[in-house]
Amino acid sequence: AVMKTIDYPGEEKFPIKSYGFTELGLLYNPDLQPGSAAQSLKRWIYHNPQLTAALMEAGWCKGQRKFTPLQVQQIVCFLGEP
């Protein structure tokens, strides 16, 4: 199911909420297979030490399958909105 968000001026179009790893990976890489999309997101995180540190500060640990809204906020902060 594709979530449509209405575009309000001055508001983020991307809803900050809890996302699964693959779910978020697919938002950033819609043209990839789910497994590849998750791998791609994982690479982006691991190749960005500042993002990895920010995520860990937000309570993330490697192997975690779901991001909290706070962790998603960090990802969007470093990678931009999907």
Side-chain angles (χ1 to χ4, degrees):
V2 175
M3 250 184 63
K4 280 231 178 291
T5 52
I6 300 157
D7 190 6
Y8 295 111
E11 273 201 32
E12 286 179 1
K13 292 165 234 18
F14 177 67
I16 297 293
K17 62 183 185 75
S18 180
Y19 288 92
F21 210 103
T22 304
E23 185 186 7
L24 193 58
L26 279 168
L27 288 173
Y28 277 104
N29 305 283
D31 48 341
L32 294 180
Q33 293 296 316
S36 307
Q39 285 302 105
S40 173
L41 181 58
K42 197 177 285 183
R43 268 196 305 274
W44 290 351
I45 290 170
Y46 292 159
H47 291 176
N48 188 328
Q50 284 131 320
L51 173 53
T52 307
L55 280 174
M56 289 179 154
E57 217 163 281
W60 179 74
C61 50
K62 289 183 183 191
Q64 190 176 312
R65 300 306 302 157
K66 219 159 171 55
F67 293 110
T68 67
L70 182 61
Q71 292 159 1
V72 170
Q73 215 161 12
Q74 295 298 334
I75 292 170
V76 170
C77 182
F78 280 90
L79 301 180
E81 292 187 7

